[in-house]
Amino acid sequence: MGNHRQVNLPTSPVKGRGTAANPDNRYAAWAREAADDGWEREDETAKPRTTLTPDTSKSVISRNESPDLPFDRSINPYRGCEHGCIYCYARPSHAWLGLSPGLEFETRLSYKADAAAQLRAELAKPGYRPAPIALGVNTDAWQPAERELGITRQVLEVLAETRHPVTVITKSALILRDLDLLAPLAAQGLAHVAVSVTTLDADLARKLEPRAAAPKRRLEVLRMLAEAGIKPMVMVAPVIPALTDHEPERILEAAAAAGAAHADYVLLRLPREVEPLFRDWLQTHYPDRAAHVLSLVTQMRGGGHNDARFGHRMRGEGALAELLRKRFNLAKRRLGLDSPLPTLNCTAFQPPAVGGQLSLFAG
């Protein structure tokens, strides 16, 4: 078969999933094309199950040099994400596993069972220099699989033991299980904690991010983080033109009332396969405004659906993007959410003992 690729996206939603589409990954030398052969068979996407496979990669810390990101290293205990957020910018990364960025991104997950051991070994290397590690920024570190596997908690235990700075962001209430680790880290100036809130509309949230915590529950998470002594950030992400862009002020007000101390936002990004998946989602759930949403996206993205340039990809450009920025900053100042995040402490780090060998300088 040649390398002809045709993406056939369905319009029938799958309950509890962000998409029913399963386009081929862009690295495959072959492509599938749906065809009616006259045989009746059960729809394979009707009740897709989640499968978990061990990730056997030999390192756990990923590095980046992006000037748009406030960190140069990150850990993602899971590849793929069962939350199923249709807009997730991480979907295209599933192609590296030979899988689809569509339904397979939500249902065929991999996990780093030895993440804590690998982290311990990397932190113990003589040349290691500490800087904040971002935990779960590509896919959520507290997605449903974490309830049983506990990999994220194991990673946090290593970071707490070594007094290593960490930043985390989640849409999950499961993070509350790890308050006993996060609160002391934050008290020592070693942790930033953020909760992502896309919308306050529960019905919209069920369609956008079907297996993430409901908006009301996320506000409760902010409240409990604040009560534990953590000064959490609310991340309004992504802001979707003509769908959620009327909400930032309301979200910030609700978050401030719940105890949030900081706020930030990201404009919708539609890289690679995310664009056709999101387009199909719009046609399925909001056909009356699909064209308008995409038109506004192009106006805020330099005429395309995505702009990967540093300095532009998080905020967009043009008059509409500038208006959004001004609205957000005004609301932050009014609500006292405009203070910068404190710098995390990188001087308290203590390399871990590996294989029973204590550091020469352990005290």
Side-chain angles (χ1 to χ4, degrees):
M1 178 183 290
N3 197 28
H4 169 70
R5 191 170 308 284
Q6 178 173 333
V7 178
N8 296 304
L9 296 177
T11 56
S12 298
V14 175
K15 184 177 181 181
R17 300 295 182 182
T19 182
N22 229 7
D24 298 314
N25 81 75
R26 62 187 177 279
Y27 301 113
W30 47 267
R32 295 168 294 180
E33 185 171 346
D36 184 1
D37 57 7
W39 290 90
E40 294 183 3
R41 60 181 179 177
E42 184 179 354
D43 184 359
E44 295 177 353
T45 66
K47 294 181 179 180
R49 297 179 179 178
T50 300
T51 61
L52 292 161
T53 304
D55 178 350
T56 57
S57 56
K58 301 302 182 183
S59 64
V60 70
I61 299 178
S62 299
R63 306 276 180 163
N64 80 83
E65 298 180 353
S66 170
D68 283 337
L69 299 176
F71 55 87
D72 68 354
R73 63 201 72 181
S74 60
I75 295 174
N76 291 287
Y78 303 95
R79 294 191 185 189
C81 186
E82 200 173 1
H83 284 165
C85 304
I86 189 58
Y87 52 74
C88 183
Y89 62 82
R91 284 181 177 273
S93 65
H94 230 45
W96 290 102
L97 304 180
L99 299 171
S100 171
L103 187 60
E104 287 181 344
F105 176 80
E106 308 174 33
T107 59
R108 295 185 62 179
L109 314 181
S110 60
Y111 63 96
K112 291 194 69 63
D114 59 349
Q118 285 193 9
L119 175 60
R120 184 179 294 278
E122 292 189 42
L123 297 185
K125 291 179 179 178
Y128 182 80
R129 296 294 179 267
I133 287 177
L135 181 56
V137 291
N138 200 49
T139 55
D140 205 305
W142 283 275
Q143 57 182 287
E146 172 66 12
R147 190 177 303 278
E148 300 300 328
L149 296 176
I151 297 171
T152 298
R153 181 172 179 84
Q154 294 168 24
V155 168
L156 283 174
E157 287 172 342
V158 173
L159 296 175
E161 172 195 334
T162 59
R163 300 181 186 177
H164 193 291
V166 62
T167 68
V168 303
I169 183 170
T170 187
K171 295 182 176 74
S172 174
L174 189 57
I175 191 175
L176 297 175
R177 184 187 65 177
D178 297 327
L179 273 181
D180 61 318
L181 296 171
L182 289 168
L185 281 166
Q188 299 171 65
L190 295 172
H192 289 161
V193 181
V195 177
S196 176
V197 180
T198 315
T199 177
L200 297 180
D201 183 332
D203 181 63
L204 174 57
R206 279 192 294 270
K207 298 170 184 174
L208 269 177
E209 32 199 36
R211 297 199 177 195
K216 184 177 180 180
R217 182 59 171 148
R218 289 185 227 179
L219 293 174
E220 180 70 7
V221 170
L222 282 169
R223 183 186 66 78
M224 296 184 72
L225 289 169
E227 289 180 352
I230 299 170
K231 296 182 178 180
M233 168 185 279
V234 58
M235 179 66 75
V236 184
V239 177
I240 304 175
L243 202 61
T244 70
D245 61 352
H246 62 288
E247 292 194 73
E249 291 86 351
R250 292 178 52 228
I251 293 174
L252 293 185
E253 289 169 1
H262 311 277
D264 207 346
Y265 77 97
V266 175
L267 182 66
L268 176 69
R269 299 162 55 191
L270 297 175
R272 297 187 180 274
E273 296 92 340
V274 181
E275 189 274 329
L277 290 167
F278 185 73
R279 181 187 295 271
D280 177 71
W281 180 90
L282 283 171
Q283 291 292 345
T284 299
H285 296 286
Y286 297 96
D288 58 327
R289 68 177 87 175
H292 185 46
V293 171
L294 293 172
S295 174
L296 293 179
V297 170
T298 61
Q299 292 178 53
M300 301 170 81
R301 288 296 184 189
H305 292 115
N306 188 56
D307 186 349
R309 291 177 299 163
F310 296 140
H312 294 269
R313 59 178 180 161
M314 300 300 181
R315 297 286 193 263
E317 64 179 0
L320 294 176
E322 179 63 15
L323 177 60
L324 175 62
R325 185 188 68 81
K326 289 181 177 179
R327 284 174 50 203
F328 197 87
N329 288 341
L330 283 171
K332 281 205 307 182
R333 285 197 294 271
R334 173 170 58 85
L335 296 164
L337 299 174
D338 57 337
S339 61
L341 285 168
T343 301
L344 292 178
N345 181 12
C346 296
T347 66
F349 175 66
Q350 295 183 349
V354 177
Q357 180 66 46
L358 295 178
S359 167
L360 177 64
F361 302 103

